[in-house]
Amino acid sequence: RGLRATIQIVSVKYIHTSGGPMMRKSLVLFFMALTSLSAQADNFPSQPVKLVVPWPPGGSTDVVLRAFAIEAGKSLGQPIVIENKAGVGGTLGPQIVARTAKPDGYTITQHSVAVIRMPYMQDVQYDAIKDFTPIIGLTGYTFGIVANKDSKYKNWDDVVADAKKNPGKITYGSPGVGTSQHLATEAIADKAGIQLQHVPFKGSSEVMASLLGGHIDLGVDSSGMAPHVDAGRMRLLVTFGSERTKKWNTVPILKEYGYNLVFESPWGLAGPKGMSPEVVKKLHDSFKTALYSDTMKKVLESVDQPVVYLNSEDYGKFIVETDKIEAESLKRLGVTKK
């Protein structure tokens, strides 16, 4: 209300002090538009919000975001509807949002490190910083390498020994080219002095299905592996964090194999550029409430994902800082676009 009153006062002042009628008419239309935007922000949300998930249904991120949508929708006062747009290593959905969504808060998406990384690897139709409005940082991934329960690979040393005997013969699946799982595994293989054959998929659910079907030797995943490991269908060989996970504290981390490598990938939510601060705050507050709810605590613990809360401003800073880190890292790995 205060913003609309200020706009009306300023508009009257300019209408009476500006030049000709055309200029006065333009000013009137301009301030009417601002008033309309302010009113929309006050009434937000008056309809369901669409959350674009850039992964296939059933994958780990899809499951977590569906839970977030249900919980955040309770305090937001409107349902949050999931729309899956998988592909391009988890960046197709965000690309669509950046290009086509209105900045009214009714279309938002996951904004992950993959979104930041992809522009350095191939041509994309978005800028990871300029074309998005940061909303909130939520959580991160626990990455690891899994094999089937009947696999001959009992630990990571078995993989390394076999790969040295059979260069390029061992296959591993990841959610796509340029994803954290793909690049991390290539960096690990380089440290180990081995060659592995990468098989890209559209998401973690496809990786897990292919591994269970015996079509690939290894799967590199995040929380999508959790139910299979817990059920004994898969064997977790190594995780990529800075310390052993709480859930699987008997599984070594990379440093225990002599690799000074850590791969952790915090992520959050963003909308298209130009969203009003009032709308961003309402979305932020609803998802923050959801993040600290008992329901989400259980969901995140079930897939071994930590709480990595960042407010809108800090999440924006994280995106900028990560952009610099990714640029240097990808250049060092030699995987930047030509």
Side-chain angles (χ1 to χ4, degrees):
R1 292 179 180 177
L3 176 59
R4 288 203 299 275
T6 302
I7 291 170
Q8 289 168 354
I9 292 170
V10 174
S11 66
V12 170
K13 176 182 177 182
Y14 272 90
I15 289 168
H16 286 286
T17 59
S18 300
M22 289 301 294
M23 181 177 290
R24 289 197 294 272
K25 182 178 180 181
S26 297
L27 285 168
V28 170
L29 293 174
F30 171 73
F31 286 112
M32 284 177 63
L34 287 181
T35 304
S36 176
L37 288 175
S38 177
Q40 290 176 17
D42 285 346
N43 296 329
F44 178 86
S46 59
Q47 63 189 56
V49 172
K50 180 168 65 178
L51 173 53
V52 176
V53 176
W55 307 102
S60 56
T61 304
D62 175 74
V63 170
V64 169
L65 282 173
R66 285 178 187 274
F68 265 122
I70 293 171
E71 287 301 304
K74 294 176 183 178
S75 58
L76 190 62
Q78 286 284 348
I80 299 175
V81 182
I82 297 294
E83 181 175 297
N84 296 89
K85 292 289 184 182
V88 199
T91 65
L92 177 61
Q95 286 193 55
I96 293 173
V97 171
R99 294 200 315 267
T100 66
K102 296 179 181 179
D104 54 11
Y106 289 105
T107 303
I108 61 178
T109 187
Q110 183 201 33
H111 193 291
S112 66
V113 173
V115 177
I116 302 169
R117 177 185 301 131
M118 196 60 70
Y120 291 104
M121 301 183 64
Q122 64 185 55
D123 292 331
V124 295
Q125 297 181 354
Y126 70 88
D127 184 295
I129 299 173
K130 297 178 181 179
D131 290 340
F132 294 94
T133 301
I135 296 172
I136 187 172
L138 292 172
T139 181
Y141 294 116
T142 295
F143 296 122
I145 298 177
V146 288
N148 271 329
K149 64 175 184 177
D150 298 324
S151 170
K152 61 182 177 181
Y153 304 127
K154 308 301 181 185
N155 52 53
W156 177 245
D157 282 334
D158 290 344
V159 176
V160 173
D162 191 30
K164 288 185 175 180
K165 294 178 183 177
N166 303 285
K169 299 295 184 182
I170 300 175
T171 57
Y172 76 92
S174 85
V177 175
T179 58
S180 295
Q181 294 93 316
H182 170 217
L183 296 181
T185 306
E186 291 301 313
I188 295 165
D190 182 66
K191 284 285 188 181
I194 60 176
Q195 292 180 337
L196 302 174
Q197 183 180 340
H198 179 222
V199 182
F201 293 88
K202 288 184 178 180
S204 63
S205 59
E206 293 184 4
V207 176
M208 295 296 96
S210 185
L211 182 60
L212 287 170
H215 305 297
I216 52 177
D217 299 310
L218 303 169
V220 187
D221 197 20
S222 52
S223 46
M225 64 191 175
H228 303 293
V229 173
D230 291 344
R233 292 186 293 269
M234 294 181 184
R235 183 182 299 117
L236 184 56
L237 307 181
V238 62
T239 57
F240 300 174
S242 57
E243 57 185 25
R244 291 193 179 194
T245 67
K246 294 179 181 178
K247 187 178 182 68
W248 303 297
N249 57 17
T250 61
V251 179
I253 59 175
L254 293 169
K255 288 185 177 180
E256 293 178 70
Y257 283 102
Y259 314 140
N260 188 27
L261 298 171
V262 174
F263 300 99
E264 296 172 327
S265 188
W267 58 266
L269 302 176
K273 65 180 179 182
M275 290 174 61
S276 75
E278 295 87 356
V279 169
V280 170
K281 186 178 187 307
K282 288 182 180 181
L283 288 167
H284 165 275
D285 291 351
S286 295
F287 277 96
K288 183 180 180 182
T289 298
L291 178 62
Y292 289 102
S293 68
D294 290 339
T295 297
M296 285 312 304
K297 180 181 179 181
K298 292 177 182 177
V299 170
L300 292 175
E301 285 181 351
S302 72
V303 292
D304 209 57
Q305 289 193 14
V307 172
V308 188
Y309 166 71
L310 294 171
N311 64 31
S312 303
E313 181 181 358
D314 289 340
Y315 191 50
K317 292 177 181 178
F318 165 79
I319 292 172
V320 172
E321 292 168 0
T322 302
D323 182 76
K324 296 177 182 177
I325 293 171
E326 287 296 316
E328 296 172 0
S329 176
L330 293 170
K331 184 177 180 180
R332 186 169 60 252
L333 292 172
V335 294
T336 53
K337 63 185 179 183
K338 305 300 180 184

